[in-house]
Amino acid sequence: YIAGFLAAIAIFAGFVAVVYYPGRVGAAAIFVALVAAAMGGFQSRLATWAVGIATVGWITGMVVSVAFERPVF
């Protein structure tokens, strides 16, 4: 059950990373998603999606920050 909660937190943080300091939030989201994926269990598909969503959120947030000259960290 813990891996599912971690994956859900990582998905939420991946969306937040697009608009709020992607250097901090995005990196933490990816780390939490990788921990959830390493834990495995019956929610491994959710953890896989969490890794993808957190990574895309981090990349998108970095692009948005650079494009609008906002702070990254």
Side-chain angles (χ1 to χ4, degrees), residues 11-56:
I11 289 171
F12 176 74
F15 287 130
V16 169
V18 175
V19 295
Y20 182 75
Y21 295 117
R24 289 186 223 168
V25 178
I30 292 171
F31 178 73
V32 170
L34 288 174
V35 168
M39 290 176 81
F42 68 94
Q43 294 182 342
S44 62
R45 293 184 71 199
L46 179 63
T48 304
W49 276 99
V51 171
I53 290 170
T55 304
V56 168

